[in-house]
Amino acid sequence: MDISALNRDVRASELPLERLATSKEIPQDAKIQEVSRQFEAVLLRQILSQAQKPMFKSSSVGGGGSTNAIYQDMVTQQLADRISQGGTFGFAKVLEQQLSVQIADKKQEATKAATAPESTPSMDAPPTKKFISCQIQPGKRV
């Protein structure tokens, strides 16, 4: 009887950020996409929690207390996660594009530095610094 090994694909959304950064199985683009989405979700949580705060505290509003606050926080978290997963807010996409450009620039600089020949100044070469001399003449104002 031949039993094949389980081949499970790992998704970026299933990993915590600490493991996501060091994972070799997930491509760089998927990492950037997930980090951008999670940052958008954090931003949305902040926006939604501020939007749900009442302007004026009132004792007539029922359900105050810690239980209501916990429930409201859980609803805000889920709502923010769902909005960011749907991609309707759009901030994650812009952030993903910016991060991709920055990472590409850093890779390009690293390859340029690695392939550039190391230049060592020779003893015969003239100094690269230029000094400007100032002549002060008596009686003249500068």
Side-chain angles (χ1 to χ4, degrees):
M1 180 155 98
D2 185 26
I3 300 175
S4 61
L6 293 176
N7 188 8
R8 184 174 184 266
D9 292 334
V10 178
R11 286 189 240 160
S13 61
E14 296 172 350
L15 292 176
L17 286 177
E18 300 84 27
R19 288 196 45 219
L20 181 66
T22 59
S23 176
K24 304 266 188 222
E25 301 168 351
I26 299 173
Q28 187 74 18
D29 295 339
K31 290 178 185 179
I32 293 171
Q33 184 179 16
E34 181 59 22
V35 166
S36 300
R37 189 201 63 77
Q38 286 189 18
F39 183 76
E40 180 185 60
V42 169
L43 180 67
L44 283 167
R45 277 186 214 117
Q46 293 292 321
I47 293 170
L48 291 171
S49 66
Q50 290 298 316
Q52 292 175 353
K53 285 185 179 179
M55 259 200 256
F56 303 103
K57 300 260 182 189
S58 170
S59 61
S60 64
V61 178
S66 63
T67 306
N68 189 29
I70 292 170
Y71 176 72
Q72 190 171 4
D73 186 53
M74 288 171 43
V75 169
T76 301
Q77 269 189 329
Q78 287 299 313
L79 184 59
D81 284 340
R82 296 293 178 219
I83 291 171
S84 70
Q85 286 172 354
T88 56
F89 193 64
F91 182 73
K93 196 69 172 164
V94 173
L95 183 62
E96 180 183 341
Q97 290 170 350
Q98 291 296 318
L99 288 173
S100 297
V101 167
Q102 286 182 359
I103 289 174
D105 288 346
K106 288 195 185 260
K107 282 183 182 178
Q108 188 178 24
E109 287 175 7
T111 55
K112 195 181 283 186
T115 58
E118 291 186 32
S119 61
T120 55
S122 66
M123 298 302 261
D124 298 332
T128 56
K129 293 183 181 179
K130 293 183 180 180
F131 296 102
I132 300 172
S133 64
C134 294
Q135 294 180 352
I136 300 175
Q137 297 177 356
K140 282 197 165 185
R141 290 189 169 188
V142 181

